[in-house]
Amino acid sequence: MSPGPGGGARQRQRALLRGVVQGVGFRPFAHNLALRLGLTGMVANSAAGVELVVQGGAGAVDEFFARLLAEAPPLARIDEITRLDAPLAQGETAFVIADSRGGRRGALISPDVATCEACLAEMRDPTNRRHGYAFINCTHCGPRYSIIEDLPYDRPQTTMAGFAMCPDCLAEYHDPADRRFHAQPNACPVCGPRLWLADPAGRELAVADPLARAVRALAEGLIVAVKGLGGFHLAANAHDAGAVARLRAGKRRLAKPLALMVADLEAAHGLAWLDAEEARLLASRQRPIVLVRVRDGVDLAPGIAPGLKRVGLMLPYTPLHHLIMDRAQSQHGLRALVMTSGNPSDEPICQDAAQAVARLGAGAASGPLCQLMLLHDRPIHLRVDDSVTMVAGGQARLLRRARGYAPMPLLLAEALAPADCPPILAVGAQLKNALCLLRGRQAFVSQHIGDLASPEGLDFFAATAEHLAAILDAPPAIVARDKHPDYQSSRWADELGLPVCAVQHHHAHAVAVMAEHGLSGPVLALCLDGAGLGDDGTIWGGEMLLGDLADFQRLGRLRPFALAGGDTAARQPWRIGLALLLASLGRLATVALPLELIARHGQRLALIEAMIARGLNAPESSGLGRLFDGVAAICGLRDEVLYEGQAAMELEQAMDGQPSAEAGYAFALTRREGLWELDWRPMIRALAADAAAGAGPALLAGRFHAGLVRALAAWALAGAGEHGLGAVVLGGGCLANGFLLTGLTALLERAGLRVYTPSAMPAGDGGLCLGQAVVAAARWRLGLVEVGAP
Amino acid sequence: MAQNETIQLDHGAGGLASRRLLERVFAKHLANDVLAQMDDAAVLAAPGGRLVVSTDSFVVDPLFFPGGDIGCLAVHGTVNDVAMRGGRPLYLTAGFVLEEGLALADLERVVASMGRAAAQAGVKVIAGDTKVVGRGQADKLFINTAGIGVLADGLELGASRARAGDAVLVSGTLGDHGVTIMAARQGLGLDLSTRSDTAPLADLVADVLAACPGARLFRDPTRGGLATALKEIAEASGVAMELDEAAIPIAGAVAGACELLGLDPLYLANEGKLICVAPAEQAQAALAAMRGHRLGDRAAIIGRAVAEKPGRVWLNTAVGGRRLLEMLSGEPLPRIC
Ligand SMILES: [Fe+3]
Ligand SMILES: [Mg+2]
Ligand SMILES: [Zn+2]
Ligand SMILES: [Zn+2]
């Protein structure tokens, strides 16, 4: 045998590749590359990743590995490659794709991926055998995380196991030159999943074209439950006010914005103002929901996003969605459909037809939420919601991280994750829950799980924790949780029987951002958040911390105020509005204010005052999110919220354009109890005076925002100056406010600080688990977490 | 007794002042044949069968509140604990810790209330003790009571006896005592129009047992309220409990006060209500027996025990959702971030 191109002595090497290397077309790619370079050997999937053996001229072998990294398929991500020399094999003449092997599970699971252009073209080609087929996919697209039951990623270990491939599909599957070579969900109308229409009781309806019938029903104003990729959607005509109102009533979702789906980017541009990054994000293969600004005069039903100027928009991400949207637009002129998660409000998304019948259909306690169900028979193993994003400061920001992103791990900087640290499970918060499994340097953050208050939510949480630990072969040795003992996640963690590492809420928020940027500190961290239990037993949420990975020191806080009624105050911001006014103006001046808030709730002033004075269910809080709520109430925008964050969102969107910095209300910066305290009382006095003089919400909200951003910057600079710090980390749920995030970043950068903000992980409680896991790892390194013998 | 007379350290010294206090206050309101023996210990004829014994200490601020006072509460609390095991309460002991400076008139009001409550509950106070501590060493008045009752043969009730399929009943509205005390203690100066429900429950238990001999258990949901009591029962019995929010009786004034104060009535104390878990087929009979009793006219079947997920308790909410109920680790702290 002659030396291969590149010359040199003959060489044989074995390699193990870790990362996202399965289910992404990696083996045929390696196979074709080896053939081109005249190499022999083999490639195989194992539970750890991909095993490679190549033999040929030394130069060719090196070129092989170089191009392997440089030209890898689009969905592949190689995190680690180990190469070992091996003795030459005499007489080897071919490069083969071998069967999958077992071994320790290290391979990464790909997220579900939106339908690729090639599949879409086939689906729309009347001569193609998959024309109009709702489950077309290939090596570069289709379901992954939601259908994988175990590793290695092979068809029998997915929910496609029950579908035996027909000869045509099988031929594609075995042909390394085909783009469906080893595409595990490969299917066609002959052998694959089937679509049908059912009534709300789940009984199949005899209709020739279920899709056509379902879309017609939508055009007629009916609500259709659609079984999708990671769960169910409830679909309705977004231009039909009646349909939207019925959908809201059924879901018991009174005001929270409903997500929309449009056929393509062109349709999206027609509905909303999109900048380049928003358009890129919409069309990315993750296909998240993107919060975008609606164009004036668009004929959407007013109930889509009451009181808000932004809507959540997404593009089709499965063949079924494309078929629905194509038909809705071309045959019924519907440019947008509501596609909201198929669940009663605050509960996890439905997983199978039985659940859908019970919770969305005939079995629902208060009557069916839908009139038809569009079902299919490809089981969903793990539920995955749609991801929600926004663009702020020219950057994509994850607000809810789920489909398309989970369970891709964040690869932590070496300083952040000790290599020998045992697996750590971090369980997140009570609301917007997600959990994180830390295995070596890989931080696997689960898909968004949501509210843990319901049994369904807790079951979903527990199932996800168990699935991740099993599939990643990383049974946790340490569990990290919030300091709050009454979060459902904290209770669950305490019952595991593992060493528990309790992490203060805002320390976790800060470390989550540090982890994203590879910082190990010490850094200055501004945690701009709603509420988390503080080290002193009060509720924190507007904090300036000096933190490293293991520990922190509180440098400053928002001046505390009382939450009269506890969590009830978060639902009824009028309580906070009154508390802020009482603290800033006193009772007499408050009563005399000619505000709607006083007109509606003035008679409860005595009660609020007494609760605060006597400490009756009126915990102290320094939460910035609650300050937004209270200010929204004083502005007359909202006395009670119907969903979390509503008052703050409406306050942000009440602003007209960008307020000028000089117009901002002044805060006071003081030293109190050893802390830099940001005192909001001067701001409240000025706000109340403007409001009493008849200023509208647009002006009030603008001056509040401008003043707040300036005050936060001055506050941070005081802390940074005192401790000689050049970097500041911003974290916490208030950063969902794009004005706050970008305005504060700009001011701090102008003052010469390096500013780090959350982007790949949610700023709010959805990202908390990552911070908890990294704190636990750092404490383990310091010997502060004892891991007992098993 | 003079209006402005107060407790002095002498009253606890065991001498003449003590003797006079005993006669003028305690003997006057708690008298019975056993107590009249005035000896170091009471001698009782041994009742047949098994004894049920319970003890509890009472520390209430304020001493007097709408619907009751610390005196009757100290009787009801202990006789109810005896009654929850199916015992018929017979005897009570009472120990008093008095703070120097307590108005004698207040003490007498409390003891008189105890006397009436004991008579109504059919128990005799058979032994007692009084100590006086200096100012600031106690808060006005603490009472400890111990109760003795007898238990019929064959009657086995207990927190671990609930079975999947059983019905869960309550004898009336929830949260009345807790919200009343909270409003009174904090001196909110608001008329919330609520009253404590403090009452003796042994008769009610007897009526329910007569109608529903298969009853599994009774529980008085005092501190921690309904949610905490049911969570304990679910864990002890290895069942889950599913409650229907709409079926849980809550007085309008209590619901209104809870809404204003941001409190959850399911976690507030009750002093005159019981939970009963009964086999489903006897649930209607138990309910009828409760409703036939003066203290049970707002009794209701509020849920059922189920086999899946042992230890869980959840509420099917009025709007059609489900919400887990847990024991609180302390004061409720905000969780909405
Ligand atoms: Fe938070
Ligand atoms: Mg007791
Ligand atoms: Zn494809
Ligand atoms: Zn086929």
Side-chain angles (χ1 to χ4, degrees):
Chain A
M1 230 172 283
S2 61
R10 281 167 54 80
Q11 191 185 10
R12 184 179 183 82
Q13 283 202 328
R14 256 174 203 292
L16 174 63
L17 279 72
R18 293 178 188 273
V20 184
V21 286
Q22 295 186 6
V24 294
F26 198 84
R27 288 177 302 163
F29 157 70
H31 175 258
N32 293 338
L33 185 61
L35 292 187
R36 265 180 282 147
L37 296 172
L39 300 171
T40 61
M42 73 98 203
V43 60
N45 280 343
S46 76
V50 160
E51 285 177 25
L52 268 169
V53 179
V54 281
Q55 178 168 318
V61 168
D62 283 341
E63 186 180 351
F64 175 84
F65 283 109
R67 289 175 62 181
L68 199 68
L69 294 174
E71 298 167 15
L75 298 185
R77 193 184 95 181
I78 299 166
D79 287 342
E80 193 184 316
I81 177 164
T82 44
R83 286 162 67 177
L84 289 173
D85 287 325
L88 288 174
Q90 299 305 321
E92 183 177 79
T93 58
F95 189 95
V96 297
I97 295 176
D99 287 341
S100 292
R101 287 127 205 254
R104 188 180 176 278
R105 291 165 196 187
L108 298 186
I109 303 156
S110 164
D112 299 316
V113 181
T115 311
C116 73
E117 289 301 323
C119 285
L120 213 50
E122 285 185 3
M123 188 192 79
R124 288 173 174 153
D125 173 3
T127 68
N128 191 281
R129 70 189 189 91
R130 292 190 178 88
H131 177 240
Y133 185 50
F135 304 94
I136 187 170
N137 66 81
C138 72
T139 308
H140 303 299
C141 76
R144 299 287 189 277
Y145 182 45
S146 61
I147 62 163
I148 295 176
E149 295 168 357
D150 203 354
L151 290 182
Y153 173 55
D154 275 329
R155 192 168 175 111
Q157 313 240 50
T158 72
T159 64
M160 286 300 292
F163 298 94
M165 276 184 275
C166 68
D168 286 344
C169 287
L170 209 55
E172 296 165 339
Y173 184 86
H174 285 305
D175 176 5
D178 195 282
R179 64 187 188 85
R180 294 198 171 86
F181 175 75
H182 276 250
Q184 306 304 348
N186 189 26
C188 78
V190 173
C191 65
R194 177 179 83 88
L195 193 68
W196 70 92
L197 201 63
D199 68 8
R203 289 178 300 237
E204 181 167 354
L205 299 171
V207 288
D209 187 345
L211 192 80
R213 178 72 192 87
V215 175
R216 200 175 73 223
L218 290 169
E220 288 164 355
L222 302 185
I223 294 162
V224 182
V226 180
K227 182 176 175 184
L229 185 60
F232 276 70
H233 276 140
L234 286 168
N237 177 0
H239 309 286
D240 182 336
V244 170
R246 283 192 299 281
L247 178 58
R248 282 202 178 279
K251 245 178 97 101
R252 304 191 311 270
R253 178 159 163 159
L254 301 176
K256 200 169 174 180
L258 298 168
L260 302 181
M261 186 177 275
V262 293
D264 49 31
L265 268 183
E266 193 191 330
H269 279 294
L271 271 184
W273 301 101
L274 304 180
D275 67 20
E277 181 59 12
E278 287 166 339
R280 186 202 64 76
L281 198 53
L282 270 173
S284 68
R285 65 167 184 263
Q286 288 85 2
R287 294 276 159 122
I289 294 171
V290 185
L291 299 184
V292 294
R293 201 175 164 89
V294 187
R295 287 180 188 272
D296 293 332
V298 164
D299 63 336
L300 289 175
I304 298 289
L308 301 179
K309 295 168 184 162
R310 288 175 171 265
V311 293
L313 213 57
M314 67 180 143
L315 300 187
Y317 57 85
T318 68
L320 177 58
H321 292 147
H322 283 289
L323 293 169
I324 291 173
M325 294 311 305
D326 287 354
R327 198 176 275 266
Q329 191 165 28
S330 65
Q331 300 195 355
H332 301 280
L334 306 184
R335 286 183 301 145
L337 292 179
V338 172
M339 279 283 182
T340 183
S341 52
N343 53 285
S345 206
D346 296 332
E347 288 179 21
I349 192 167
C350 287
Q351 188 168 14
D352 55 33
Q355 275 186 12
V357 168
R359 291 162 59 200
L360 309 177
S366 41
L369 282 68
C370 63
Q371 284 76 50
L372 287 172
M373 299 199 190
L374 192 56
L375 302 175
H376 63 72
D377 53 359
R378 184 179 67 206
I380 295 167
H381 183 66
L382 207 61
R383 283 166 289 179
V384 188
D385 258 299
D386 295 322
S387 294
V388 182
T389 61
M390 67 171 190
V391 174
Q395 241 187 311
R397 315 278 177 172
L398 265 290
L399 297 173
R400 180 167 88 187
R401 187 178 172 278
R403 177 184 49 76
Y405 300 92
M408 278 295 273
L410 188 74
L411 192 64
L412 297 176
E414 264 166 63
L416 272 68
D420 52 345
C421 183
I424 293 173
L425 176 66
V427 297
Q430 165 81 7
L431 299 172
K432 295 190 168 76
N433 181 277
L435 52 89
C436 174
L437 192 63
L438 185 62
R439 183 183 71 181
R441 288 174 53 202
Q442 297 167 323
F444 295 88
V445 174
S446 77
Q447 73 276 34
H448 162 86
I449 292 167
D451 188 346
L452 301 187
S454 71
E456 291 80 3
L458 188 59
D459 287 342
F460 182 22
F461 165 87
T464 304
E466 281 154 26
H467 182 67
L468 272 183
I471 204 163
L472 298 170
D473 203 9
I478 298 168
V479 62
R481 63 140 164 108
D482 195 90
K483 246 185 139 78
H484 199 311
D486 290 330
Y487 286 174
Q488 284 293 351
S489 49
S490 298
R491 296 177 196 282
W492 186 89
D494 288 345
E495 282 168 15
L496 283 183
L498 293 175
V500 174
C501 183
V503 182
Q504 198 279 324
H505 192 90
H506 301 102
H507 186 213
H509 272 311
V511 173
V513 185
M514 292 168 70
E516 213 184 293
H517 295 282
L519 307 173
S520 47
V523 295
L524 189 77
L526 293 200
C527 298
L528 311 176
D529 201 35
L533 183 57
D535 282 352
D536 60 359
T538 72
I539 300 301
W540 294 4
E543 309 305 314
M544 177 159 60
L545 310 179
L546 172 61
D548 62 18
L549 300 176
D551 205 359
F552 72 96
Q553 181 193 340
R554 193 186 196 195
L555 299 183
R557 68 174 174 211
L558 191 68
R559 182 183 176 85
F561 50 90
L563 301 176
D567 267 341
T568 303
R571 287 185 281 264
Q572 301 179 349
W574 64 262
R575 294 168 181 267
I576 302 172
L578 291 185
L580 296 174
L581 290 171
L582 278 170
S584 305
L585 296 164
R587 184 172 180 178
L588 288 178
T590 299
V591 181
L593 285 172
L595 301 182
E596 285 174 48
L597 174 69
I598 303 300
R600 285 195 291 265
H601 298 284
Q603 79 282 4
R604 286 167 169 168
L605 207 58
L607 171 79
I608 297 298
E609 196 176 23
M611 288 176 75
I612 294 170
R614 321 227 182 253
L616 172 57
N617 199 25
E620 291 254 289
S621 166
S622 53
L624 182 63
R626 296 294 94 82
L627 184 75
F628 271 87
D629 292 343
V631 167
I634 296 171
C635 292
L637 281 171
R638 184 149 291 281
D639 295 346
E640 303 208 6
V641 299
L642 299 167
Y643 59 90
E644 227 193 301
Q646 186 183 19
M649 277 169 72
E650 289 178 358
L651 187 64
E652 180 190 2
Q653 299 194 22
M655 275 188 290
D656 242 350
Q658 301 279 316
S660 78
E662 305 74 55
Y665 296 129
F667 287 63
L669 183 57
T670 60
R671 285 295 286 181
R672 200 158 73 103
E673 294 167 23
L675 298 171
W676 288 107
E677 188 170 272
L678 200 54
D679 185 348
W680 35 264
R681 288 176 302 175
M683 176 275 291
I684 293 288
R685 285 191 282 267
L687 173 80
D690 274 357
L699 179 92
L700 301 174
R703 296 190 70 182
F704 166 69
H705 275 87
L708 177 66
V709 165
R710 220 162 45 159
L712 290 172
W715 189 47
L717 289 171
E722 184 182 41
H723 293 271
L725 298 164
V728 58
V729 156
L730 305 182
C734 295
L735 297 179
N737 183 318
F739 178 86
L740 179 65
L741 174 60
T742 55
L744 182 55
T745 303
L747 284 186
L748 293 172
E749 283 177 345
R750 207 175 302 153
L753 289 177
R754 285 186 309 285
V755 183
Y756 298 93
T757 58
S759 164
M761 293 293 159
D765 284 3
L768 204 69
C769 58
L770 174 63
Q772 292 170 344
V774 173
V775 170
R779 292 200 189 143
W780 176 85
R781 189 209 298 262
L782 296 174
L784 300 174
V785 183
E786 291 287 332
V787 181
Chain B
M1 204 177 305
Q3 271 303 318
N4 53 3
E5 237 181 309
T6 60
I7 291 292
Q8 302 301 317
L9 289 172
D10 286 351
H11 285 123
L16 202 59
S18 302
R19 176 66 181 270
R20 202 167 292 146
L21 184 69
L22 192 69
E23 285 167 359
R24 285 171 54 190
V25 176
F26 295 100
K28 179 171 160 197
H29 294 288
L30 305 176
N32 58 63
D33 50 339
V34 187
L35 198 62
Q37 295 165 3
M38 283 284 181
D39 223 319
D40 282 345
V43 177
L44 306 169
R50 295 168 296 168
L51 294 180
V52 187
V53 180
S54 181
T55 185
D56 209 340
S57 298
F58 297 84
V59 178
V60 188
D61 175 29
L63 297 181
F64 305 95
F65 46 82
D69 55 67
I70 190 172
C72 60
L73 196 64
V75 173
H76 297 150
T78 294
V79 298
N80 289 348
D81 284 347
V82 170
M84 292 307 117
R85 294 299 303 272
R88 156 108 351 232
L90 295 175
Y91 303 113
L92 217 52
T93 70
F96 294 80
V97 176
L98 310 179
E99 186 191 11
E100 180 189 4
L102 173 72
L104 259 177
D106 282 349
L107 177 64
E108 178 159 14
R109 243 178 103 190
V110 166
V111 176
S113 169
M114 275 187 96
R116 286 192 302 274
Q120 191 200 352
V123 295
K124 290 175 179 172
V125 178
I126 53 158
D129 176 55
T130 305
K131 292 283 182 295
V132 177
V133 298
R135 284 175 199 274
Q137 292 180 280
D139 185 12
K140 295 187 279 290
L141 167 57
F142 300 157
I143 305 176
N144 171 275
T145 52
I148 298 169
V150 286
L151 181 60
D153 280 336
L155 188 55
E156 297 296 343
L157 300 165
S160 63
R161 305 181 75 86
R163 294 294 170 264
D166 286 353
V168 180
L169 297 88
V170 291
S171 63
T173 58
L174 296 166
D176 302 69
H177 179 77
V179 84
T180 302
I181 291 294
M182 204 160 288
R185 175 188 307 156
Q186 309 289 341
L188 288 181
L190 296 166
D191 179 17
L192 296 174
S193 314
T194 62
R195 289 172 66 77
S196 168
D197 58 354
T198 185
L201 296 169
D203 286 350
L204 181 58
V205 171
D207 285 6
V208 174
L209 279 172
C212 168
R216 314 276 195 205
L217 63 94
F218 296 90
R219 191 42 109 57
D220 57 339
T222 53
R223 263 188 314 192
L226 178 79
T228 304
L230 287 179
K231 184 78 183 166
E232 282 169 9
I233 294 167
E235 285 179 355
S237 296
V239 296
M241 293 202 168
E242 180 184 20
L243 310 180
D244 302 317
E245 187 176 36
I248 299 175
I250 294 174
V254 171
C258 284
E259 164 63 25
L260 278 176
L261 301 175
L263 301 173
D264 184 344
L266 302 187
Y267 287 91
L268 293 177
N270 307 277
E271 293 292 346
K273 299 291 159 32
L274 58 79
I275 298 166
C276 172
V277 177
E281 64 277 10
Q282 294 182 21
Q284 286 303 331
L287 181 65
M290 284 186 192
R291 290 200 172 151
H293 190 283
R294 174 178 72 79
L295 293 174
D297 60 333
R298 288 201 61 187
I301 298 175
I302 59 166
R304 63 215 67 85
V306 294
E308 63 180 272
K309 305 279 179 185
R312 257 191 201 177
V313 180
W314 70 85
L315 201 60
N316 296 323
T317 63
V319 292
R322 303 210 288 169
R323 177 162 72 89
L324 289 163
L325 298 179
E326 300 288 347
M327 279 181 230
L328 290 182
S329 51
E331 289 283 293
L333 288 167
R335 292 184 299 177
I336 297 177
C337 185

